[in-house]
């Protein structure tokens, strides 16, 4: 599968093994169940899967509290099952990206157990401690609703340890070269098991000041902090030439290009700026946030690739919006009881919840997503319009099992519902008997079919990743358009955000006889170097033609 630039326009499908498909009826999804669903992913046309943490864990934070980097949680399968999953995925041309949590471990990890028990152990310096809390570095915790700060007392060590996330997730001391070597070994191990790359969780916090003295990687033998990730790239590429690193780096816009390390660190980076603005724009039926997103994003041409997305398995983070829009989004998209707002930064709602279950707006958002330069990440269940369960704690609201059909537990598991890792959504407009794959799979007008068509069409549009992109100003402003020029061809992508029909006119310097519809509805007329579009409410169309 060697193709070094495969990631530049990939469609990546994200799922949690625990909630995707249960093959043995114990209520927990597993790798054998994921193997059984590879046909669905192949049919969807995905290039890679990103599977969320599946390692042994006490699951106080959905598996992001890792207790062993070298294993598979026995409830999800075995190492052999993972290897089989990777091999079967590769047979279908699907790459496998795993989630690696290197900023912190669980308090149950052997490293931390040995660190707290023996201050003379090498593992003690794998973490960060203080015996003088009043003199130590302090700042806000990433989960301010649940943690008072970044220090917690350990009764065994009789010291405080540093944690940017939950108190059961002590930060690793990445300034310690021995820790960094441990992380490099983990990368090598999973590549050897069949992985093709890694999402590196919390890349931004890994570079933040840590510990008593606010130590950073600038205080180490590394020439600069980004060399932590540069070395990771060297490790993975030496093992597998087309393996990739994907950054979760929710930093300020002006700092985001740093994580690419001038083309020597991360290959890919989640585009949190575009996520906040695009999802908000479709929600409020106004294109202005897209203009702003393009204005504040750094130019990353030649050094890396954005991974654009609409929703993920966390809260919808609004911090990249301007203040007025942030406050508006907090009220506009929130549930009536105010239960969706979390961490003072976002809503624990799925895409369908944000758009009132409107399949046309969900499809429009995906059409925009697939038409942007870079790669695409899809959250499992969004392609059929699954909704959140706000009765579940914190982010678990958006982590319910995949709804495959209208049988018990939505076809996810044959277990008693009480035995499932998370309950399936079984009430309301998003219940599994109303929203599921089976009902939509063969219906050409369903949300699933429309998004599947967009995924397939994108594969036939290499200009999206490799053409020259520019925004096409439009009147009325409720219509957003952009174009790509490549090898004498033009691809024009137009999207109507409005709840009413709109007529829009654009320059379109193509041969009128050769212009063709790529995907989408609406009428169009090409003449005299321009095109007139008649787009219905929340309608989109992509047109292609040879340049005159």
């Amino acid at each position: 599968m060697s193709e070094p630039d495969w990631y530049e326009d990939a469609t990546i499908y994200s799922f949690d093994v625990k909630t995707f498909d249960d093959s043995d009826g114990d209520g927990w999804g597993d790798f054998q169940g994921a193997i059984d669903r590879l046909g669905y992913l192949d049919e969807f046309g995905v290039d890679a899967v990103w599977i969320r943490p599946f390692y042994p864990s006490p699951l106080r934070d959905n598996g992001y509290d890792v207790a062993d980097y070298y294993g598979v949680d026995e409830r999800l399968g075995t190492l052999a099952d993972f290897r089989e999953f990777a091999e079967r995925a590769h047979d279908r041309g699907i790459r496998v990206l795993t989630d690696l949590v290197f900023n912190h471990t669980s308090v149950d990890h052997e490293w931390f157990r040995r660190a707290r028990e023996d201050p003379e152990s090498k593992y003690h310096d794998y973490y960060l401690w203080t015996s003088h809390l009043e003199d130590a570095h302090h700042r806000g915790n990433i989960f301010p609703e649940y943690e008072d700060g970044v220090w917690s007392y350990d009764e065994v060590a009789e010291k405080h340890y540093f944690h940017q996330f939950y108190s059961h997730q002590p930060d690793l001391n990445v300034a310690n070269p021995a820790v960094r070597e441990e992380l490099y070994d983990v990368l090598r191990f999973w590549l050897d098991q069949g992985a093709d790359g890694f999402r590196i969780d919390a890349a931004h916090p890994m570079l933040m000041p840590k510990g008593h003295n606010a130590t950073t990687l600038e205080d180490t033998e590394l020439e600069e902090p980004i060399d932590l990730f540069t070395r990771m790239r060297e490790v993975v590429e030496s093992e597998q030439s087309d393996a990739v690193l994907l950054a979760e780096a929710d930093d300020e816009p002006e700092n985001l290009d740093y994580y690419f390390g001038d083309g020597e660190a991360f290959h890919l980076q989640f585009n949190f700026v575009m996520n906040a603005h695009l999802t908000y724009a479709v929600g409020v039926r106004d294109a202005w946030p897209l203009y702003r997103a393009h204005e504040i994003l750094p130019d990353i041409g030649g050094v890396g690739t954005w991974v654009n997305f609409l929703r993920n398995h966390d809260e919808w983070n609004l911090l990249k919006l301007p203040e007025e829009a942030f406050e508006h989004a907090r009220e506009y998209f929130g549930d009536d009881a105010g239960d969706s707002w979390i961490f003072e930064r976002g809503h624990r709602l799925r895409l369908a919840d944000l758009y009132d279950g409107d399949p046309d707006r969900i499809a429009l958002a995906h059409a925009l997503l697939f038409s942007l330069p870079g790669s695409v990440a899809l959250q499992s269940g969004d392609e059929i319009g699954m909704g959140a369960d706000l009765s579940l704690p914190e982010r678990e609201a958006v982590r319910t099992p995949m709804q495959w059909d209208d049988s018990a537990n939505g076809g996810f598991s044959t277990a008693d519902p009480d035995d499932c890792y998370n309950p399936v959504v079984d009430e309301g407009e998003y219940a599994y008997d109303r929203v599921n794959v089976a009902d939509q799979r063969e219906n050409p007008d369903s949300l699933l079919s429309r998004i599947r068509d967009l995924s397939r069409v994108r594969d036939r549009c290499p200009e999206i990743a490799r053409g020259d992109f520019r925004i096409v100003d439009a009147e009325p402003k409720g219509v957003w358009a952009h174009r790509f020029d490549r090898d004498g061809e033009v691809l024009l992508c137009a999207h109507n955000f409005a709840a009413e029909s709109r007529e829009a006119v654009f320059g379109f310097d193509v041969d009128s006889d050769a212009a063709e519809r790529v995907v989408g509805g609406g009428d169009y007329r090409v003449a005299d170097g321009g095109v007139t579009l008649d787009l219905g409410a929340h309608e989109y169309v992509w047109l292609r033609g040879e340049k005159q």
Side-chain angles (χ1 to χ4, degrees):
M1 293 177 65
S2 182
E3 187 182 347
D5 61 351
W6 68 269
Y7 61 87
E8 293 180 357
D9 59 351
T11 298
I12 304 167
Y13 188 92
S14 170
F15 68 89
D16 185 344
V17 176
K18 298 188 293 295
T19 56
F20 199 53
D21 190 83
D22 170 20
S23 70
D24 58 9
D26 65 354
W28 291 65
D30 46 52
F31 275 108
Q32 289 299 322
I35 289 170
D36 293 340
R37 297 299 182 178
L38 282 171
Y40 172 77
L41 300 177
D42 194 8
E43 178 184 300
F44 209 86
V46 305
D47 300 293
V49 291
W50 153 34
I51 49 178
R52 302 200 284 278
F54 51 82
Y55 318 103
S57 167
L59 295 178
R60 301 183 186 100
D61 185 22
N62 198 248
Y64 284 89
D65 47 332
V66 177
D68 178 4
Y69 287 115
Y70 292 98
V72 172
D73 190 301
E74 63 183 8
R75 293 162 290 194
L76 311 185
T78 64
L79 272 176
D81 291 330
F82 174 84
R83 289 193 293 268
E84 182 183 358
F85 172 78
E87 183 177 351
R88 298 278 289 277
H90 293 161
D91 289 343
R92 295 177 178 271
I94 299 173
R95 289 173 166 82
V96 177
L97 310 182
T98 70
D99 214 324
L100 284 177
V101 189
F102 283 163
N103 179 73
H104 50 264
T105 70
S106 167
V107 292
D108 292 355
H109 197 289
E110 180 186 5
W111 296 347
F112 191 74
R113 292 204 306 269
R114 296 176 71 172
R116 67 201 298 234
E117 292 167 357
D118 182 3
E120 302 303 318
S121 164
K122 72 172 185 177
Y123 296 104
H124 195 73
D125 289 333
Y126 277 29
Y127 299 90
L128 304 114
W129 307 88
T130 187
S131 298
H132 304 284
L133 190 61
E134 66 279 1
D135 298 324
H137 164 65
H138 289 269
R139 67 168 184 273
N141 191 280
I142 288 171
F143 297 137
E145 293 177 33
Y146 300 93
E147 298 290 343
D148 293 333
V150 292
W151 292 102
S152 287
Y153 186 71
D154 182 73
E155 293 183 352
V156 176
E158 297 183 330
K159 295 179 182 179
H160 286 81
Y161 61 88
F162 182 85
H163 58 91
Q164 296 182 79
F165 289 80
Y166 292 110
S167 59
H168 57 76
Q169 294 168 317
D171 271 40
L172 283 167
N173 179 15
V174 292
N176 181 344
V179 170
R180 298 199 297 272
E181 289 301 322
E182 295 272 17
L183 304 185
Y184 304 148
D185 285 344
V186 173
L187 295 169
R188 295 184 182 101
F189 176 82
W190 285 107
L191 288 170
D192 188 55
Q193 301 302 309
D196 300 287
F198 308 98
R199 172 196 182 264
I200 304 299
D201 182 68
H204 175 41
M206 288 182 73
L207 302 187
M208 294 285 284
K210 295 190 178 195
H212 181 94
N213 295 319
T215 301
T216 70
L217 290 170
E218 293 175 343
D219 303 312
T220 71
E221 73 281 8
L222 297 178
E223 292 186 9
E224 58 177 314
I226 196 64
D227 288 341
L228 168 65
F229 302 125
T230 300
R231 176 60 181 147
M232 285 187 187
R233 179 164 176 163
E234 291 171 354
V235 168
V236 300
E237 289 187 341
S238 68
E239 298 289 320
Q240 184 174 318
S241 62
D242 60 352
V244 299
L245 294 178
L246 166 57
E248 187 215 17
D250 193 6
D251 205 341
E252 293 304 310
E254 61 270 21
N255 300 331
L256 295 176
D257 55 343
Y258 180 76
Y259 294 87
F260 292 113
D262 294 326
E264 296 181 351
F266 284 102
H267 302 79
L268 298 158
Q269 184 178 165
F270 283 114
N271 194 343
F272 284 93
V273 172
M274 185 59 68
N275 165 244
H277 288 76
L278 190 161
T279 306
Y280 178 73
V282 175
V284 299
R285 298 183 173 94
D286 196 323
W288 73 260
L290 287 181
Y291 287 96
R292 181 178 189 268
H294 283 96
E295 288 173 359
I296 65 176
L297 280 168
D299 180 7
I300 62 167
V303 298
T305 299
W306 294 123
V307 176
N308 295 301
F309 64 103
L310 297 169
R311 280 297 286 113
N312 59 19
H313 59 295
D314 294 332
E315 73 282 356
W316 176 38
N317 191 328
L318 302 170
L319 290 175
K320 297 300 180 286
L321 294 175
E323 183 176 358
E324 185 176 347
F326 175 90
E327 294 298 336
H328 177 255
R330 175 173 183 163
E331 299 299 325
Y332 184 81
F333 293 99
D335 67 303
D336 291 340
D339 291 336
S340 67
W341 188 249
I342 192 170
F343 303 144
E344 295 302 318
R345 59 178 176 258
H347 289 292
R348 56 193 193 106
L349 297 170
R350 295 200 64 143
L351 198 66
D353 302 295
L354 299 175
Y355 297 157
D356 299 322
D358 182 354
D360 290 336
R361 269 202 289 174
I362 299 172
L364 171 68
H366 280 87
L368 277 158
L369 177 71
F370 278 106
S371 71
L372 291 173
S375 288
V376 167
L378 302 173
Q379 164 77 345
S380 63
D382 276 358
E383 74 272 24
I384 58 172
M386 283 177 54
D389 181 353
L390 292 176
S391 70
L392 297 177
E394 301 179 35
R395 294 159 158 178
E396 296 303 304
V398 298
R399 298 169 176 174
T400 56
M402 186 66 175
Q403 296 170 195
W404 294 106
D405 57 41
D406 62 2
S407 64
N409 296 316
F412 157 71
S413 175
T414 58
D416 185 289
D418 291 338
D419 293 332
C420 290
Y421 169 75
N422 268 338
V424 69
V425 176
D426 60 3
E427 295 181 350
E429 62 182 310
Y430 304 116
Y432 66 82
D433 58 346
R434 298 185 179 187
V435 177
N436 61 69
V437 170
D439 283 351
Q440 297 187 32
R441 201 167 192 170
E442 303 303 325
N443 179 357
D445 298 321
S446 70
L447 179 62
L448 172 61
S449 294
R450 294 164 72 180
I451 297 176
R452 184 176 58 202
D453 288 347
L454 286 164
S455 176
R456 292 170 172 173
V457 163
R458 195 176 200 269
D459 285 341
R460 303 197 300 271
C461 297
E463 54 268 61
I464 292 177
R466 297 175 176 85
D468 295 325
F469 166 87
R470 64 183 172 92
I471 298 169
V472 180
D473 286 329
E475 291 292 345
K477 289 296 184 182
V479 177
W480 165 272
H482 57 261
R483 64 181 277 172
F484 301 90
D485 291 76
R486 182 174 185 262
D487 297 336
E489 285 197 334
V490 177
L491 177 67
L492 177 71
C493 304
H495 308 82
N496 179 20
F497 286 54
E500 304 84 22
S501 297
R502 291 285 188 266
E503 180 180 275
V505 179
F506 304 99
F508 195 45
D509 47 345
V510 305
D511 183 346
S512 59
D513 294 330
E516 62 170 347
R517 184 193 310 270
V518 178
V519 70
D523 295 326
Y524 68 91
R525 301 178 298 282
V526 179
D528 301 325
V531 60
T532 301
L533 300 175
D534 291 311
L535 295 175
H538 306 132
E539 201 165 42
Y540 54 88
V541 66
W542 301 358
L543 303 175
R544 175 189 276 141
E546 290 188 13
K547 197 169 184 178
Q548 288 180 326

